[in-house]
């Protein structure tokens, strides 16, 4: 079963905690600290699997968590690292942050493997904190916490050429004639419910062509197949706009072209900047004079904008060869690089930017500090030790917290509250 979108929850591994222990051996009095470091948590990695062409498997498994790192051990033993979790996706998958809708990565082109969430670093064991003045540190650093994220996956087909047009205009028939693809073909709307890809072989090289599900008026607003169709045309370099020139269903081909171009523009104005060619299909269903008249009308309407019109018959193959070679020439003249979605959101960077702090003045001469950045600092600092408290004071200065307290009007002797701890402020 084809599926081109999914939503999953991912979580990297927590870093293992550093260990507190002291060397205790016969004839070795006061052996000193020997607590080892914690292991690194596992990363969440996305990797392209060219054997996949659907996101269907993600409908059954929606939660992915990498293992945590092991805690450090005595005798300076390092905890084992958590194993990375590799998530296989089809080529062309775009990963979005579900909360903001921003692009995290586009798994296409040369981007075949990317770390999405880094595992937490392991904490340092107490052997790392021994100094000349503190020879028996009784604290170790906890491992960094895991990171978690809800992401949305969307598969956007990778094709050089996209067949666009209303349902039942002959796109699937064209694809079956020019490639080895075998889409379902029938005389009713929405026969094609999933994108079908095929390779066109021509002298001097071919191209990949996609028959994308049919459009209807209002698709850019989600009507009909709506966005289910439109997401798959974003990568294509050239459009073959297929119309029913014979008007077998009572529609005007010129109005159809304008309607669909309007939907493309409403979805993304950049789409209309890409080269387009019109395939006036089903000319075999008319007399030669009727076909010439309709094709001439379409040419008068669109060739002034640089869009060439080719009368074709998908059933008999008439005009198909000329159309394909023209498209090949358009591809040669267009930007060779495939369309890639640029990163808009980096979980690692944005996580750091959220580590803010707050300074408040709830009552006279009393100031409170808190927030995620303060919480993270407290996670690996022992304020009961002289060294840990000195580190805490240095952190307040270097991070700008002291400057914020000064701006808030703090004076010497005022109280600074940090959760359940209180300190007197002195410059």
């Amino acid at each position: 079963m084809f599926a081109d979108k999914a939503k999953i929850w991912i979580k990297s591994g927590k870093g293992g905690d550093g260990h507190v222990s002291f060397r205790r051996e016969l004839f070795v009095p006061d052996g000193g600290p020997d607590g080892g470091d914690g292991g690194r948590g596992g990363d969440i990695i996305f990797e392209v699997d060219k054997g996949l062409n659907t996101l269907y498997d993600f409908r059954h498994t929606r939660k992915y968590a990498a293992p945590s790192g092991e805690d450090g051990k005595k005798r300076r033993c390092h905890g084992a690292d958590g194993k990375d979790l590799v998530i296989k996706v089809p080529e062309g998958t775009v990963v979005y942050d579900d909360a903001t809708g921003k692009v995290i990565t586009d798994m296409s082109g040369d981007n075949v493997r990317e770390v999405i969430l880094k595992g937490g670093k392991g904490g340092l064991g107490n052997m790392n904190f021994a100094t000349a003045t503190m020879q028996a540190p009784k604290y170790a650093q906890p491992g960094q916490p895991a990171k978690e994220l809800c992401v949305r996956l969307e598969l956007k087909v990778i094709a050089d050429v996209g067949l666009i047009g209303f349902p039942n205009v002959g796109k699937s028939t064209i694809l079956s004639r020019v490639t080895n693809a075998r889409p379902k073909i029938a005389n009713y709307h929405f026969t094609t419910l999933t994108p079908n890809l095929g390779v066109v072989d021509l002298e001097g090289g071919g191209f990949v062509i996609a028959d994308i599900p049919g459009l209807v008026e209002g698709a850019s607003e989600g009507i009909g197949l709506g966005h289910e169709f439109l997401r798959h045309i974003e990568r294509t370099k050239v459009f073959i706009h297929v119309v029913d020139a014979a008007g077998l269903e009572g529609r005007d081909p010129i109005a159809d072209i304008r309607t669909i171009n309007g939907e493309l523009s409403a979805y993304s104005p950049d789409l209309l900047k890409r080269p387009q060619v019109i395939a006036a299909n089903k000319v075999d269903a008319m007399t030669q004079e009727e076909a010439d008249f309709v094709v001439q009308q379409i040419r008068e309407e669109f060739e002034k904008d640089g869009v060439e019109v080719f009368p074709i018959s998908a059933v008999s193959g008439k005009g198909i060869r000329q159309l394909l070679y023209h498209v090949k020439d358009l591809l040669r003249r267009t930007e060779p690089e495939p369309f890639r979605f640029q990163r808009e959101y980096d979980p690692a960077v944005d996580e750091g930017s959220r580590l803010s702090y707050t300074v408040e003045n709830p009552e006279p001469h009393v100031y409170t500090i808190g927030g995620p950045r303060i919480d993270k600092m407290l996670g690996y600092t022992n304020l009961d030790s002289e060294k840990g408290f000195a580190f805490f004071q240095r952190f307040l200065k270097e991070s700008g917290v002291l400057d914020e307290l000064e701006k808030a009007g703090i004076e010497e002797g005022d109280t600074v509250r940090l959760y359940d701890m209180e300190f007197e402020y002195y410059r």
Side-chain angles (χ1 to χ4, degrees):
M1 179 178 177
F2 181 80
D4 57 5
K5 59 183 178 178
K7 186 189 293 187
I8 62 173
W9 175 84
I10 55 176
K11 182 179 180 181
S12 62
K14 174 189 174 300
D17 295 336
H19 188 68
V20 176
S21 63
F22 297 89
R23 186 180 177 194
R24 292 290 181 265
E25 295 181 28
L26 193 61
F27 310 120
V28 185
D30 303 325
D34 70 350
D37 301 340
R40 176 187 63 83
D43 298 338
I44 294 288
I45 301 172
F46 278 56
E47 186 175 270
V48 170
D49 183 342
K50 301 218 176 199
L52 295 175
N53 58 10
T54 175
L55 298 174
Y56 181 73
D57 290 344
F58 294 102
R59 295 194 172 185
H60 300 290
T61 307
R62 296 181 180 269
K63 294 184 177 181
Y64 296 83
S68 297
E70 287 188 359
D71 295 341
K73 300 176 177 57
K74 59 184 179 180
R75 296 183 181 177
R76 297 177 174 260
C77 289
H78 193 291
D81 292 339
K83 188 176 180 181
D84 295 337
L85 178 61
V86 178
I87 300 174
K88 301 292 184 72
V89 295
E91 186 176 16
T93 300
V94 181
V95 183
Y96 296 87
D97 172 46
D98 188 58
T100 63
K102 294 182 177 180
V103 175
I104 297 175
T105 188
D106 182 352
M107 304 300 295
S108 63
D110 56 0
N111 185 32
V112 296
R113 182 181 173 92
E114 184 161 343
V115 177
I116 303 299
L117 292 181
K118 292 283 290 182
K121 288 176 61 178
L124 299 175
N126 71 330
M127 67 178 182
N128 297 278
F129 300 103
T131 65
T133 58
M134 187 187 300
Q135 298 182 3
K138 296 181 180 178
Y139 65 92
Q141 194 180 48
Q144 288 184 347
K147 296 175 182 174
E148 57 185 87
L149 198 61
C150 186
V151 297
R152 190 174 77 251
L153 310 179
E154 287 190 3
L155 177 59
K156 300 175 189 282
V157 299
I158 298 177
D160 301 307
V161 178
L163 289 165
I164 61 174
F166 269 89
N168 207 28
V169 293
K171 299 189 303 297
S172 296
T173 306
I174 293 174
L175 182 73
S176 67
R177 171 167 285 279
V178 302
T179 74
N180 289 325
R182 291 294 175 262
K184 293 179 181 178
I185 299 172
N187 189 29
Y188 53 88
H189 289 178
F190 298 112
T191 304
T192 306
L193 297 178
T194 63
N196 290 296
L197 276 72
V199 177
V200 176
D201 289 320
L202 297 173
E203 294 175 11
F207 52 84
V208 178
I209 187 170
D211 162 26
I212 302 167
L215 242 176
V216 295
E217 189 169 3
S220 58
E221 301 172 359
I223 297 174
L225 292 179
H227 295 155
E228 311 300 317
F229 161 87
L230 287 164
R231 83 162 57 91
H232 292 292
I233 66 176
E234 292 177 282
R235 294 191 195 275
T236 53
K237 304 172 192 173
V238 173
F239 296 134
I240 297 178
H241 200 144
V242 186
V243 292
D244 177 3
L248 297 181
E249 297 192 356
R251 292 200 309 264
D252 177 4
I254 293 177
D256 281 3
I257 294 169
R258 294 209 176 280
T259 297
I260 289 192
N261 282 342
E263 295 302 325
L264 297 184
S265 179
Y267 183 74
S268 173
D270 289 339
L271 293 177
L272 283 188
K273 297 177 183 177
R274 299 182 194 175
Q276 188 173 132
V277 57
I278 295 173
N281 192 24
K282 304 186 182 181
V283 293
D284 55 327
M286 301 180 281
T287 65
Q288 188 62 49
E289 288 133 359
E290 290 172 333
D292 290 343
F293 176 75
V294 173
V295 170
Q296 184 58 33
Q297 282 189 313
I298 298 174
R299 281 177 172 153
E300 289 175 359
E301 193 71 26
F302 296 102
E303 285 195 344
K304 62 180 182 290
D305 298 323
V307 180
E308 293 204 35
V309 180
F310 288 82
I312 68 164
S313 168
V315 174
S316 69
K318 177 183 178 181
I320 295 284
R321 183 177 178 81
Q322 295 92 323
L323 170 69
L324 295 179
Y325 274 98
H326 176 71
V327 168
K328 181 183 176 182
D329 185 57
L330 285 177
L331 286 170
R332 183 181 55 79
R333 289 186 273 135
T334 57
E335 179 62 42
E337 286 297 314
F339 180 82
R340 289 278 300 278
F341 290 85
Q342 299 302 311
R343 171 172 284 182
E344 302 169 329
Y345 178 90
D346 186 337
V349 173
D350 289 346
E351 177 70 18
S353 67
R354 289 197 296 267
L355 297 176
S356 57
Y357 53 80
T358 59
V359 173
E360 297 179 355
N361 182 204
E363 54 188 279
H365 305 293
V366 175
Y367 295 81
T368 63
I369 58 176
R373 193 170 183 184
I374 302 294
D375 295 344
K376 184 174 183 181
M377 181 276 301
L378 291 176
Y380 54 78
T381 306
N382 182 2
L383 297 183
D384 294 331
S385 72
E386 182 180 345
K387 183 178 179 182
F389 192 76
F391 172 79
F392 168 65
Q393 290 178 305
R394 189 166 64 252
F395 165 81
L396 293 180
K397 181 178 180 179
E398 293 175 353
S399 64
V401 176
L402 291 184
D403 291 338
E404 290 298 321
L405 286 170
E406 292 282 350
K407 289 179 184 177
I410 196 169
E411 300 176 352
E412 286 198 5
D414 287 352
T415 299
V416 177
R417 286 180 185 164
L418 178 61
Y419 298 106
D420 58 346
M421 295 174 283
E422 291 188 354
F423 311 95
E424 286 190 2
Y425 177 77
Y426 292 100
R427 291 184 176 86

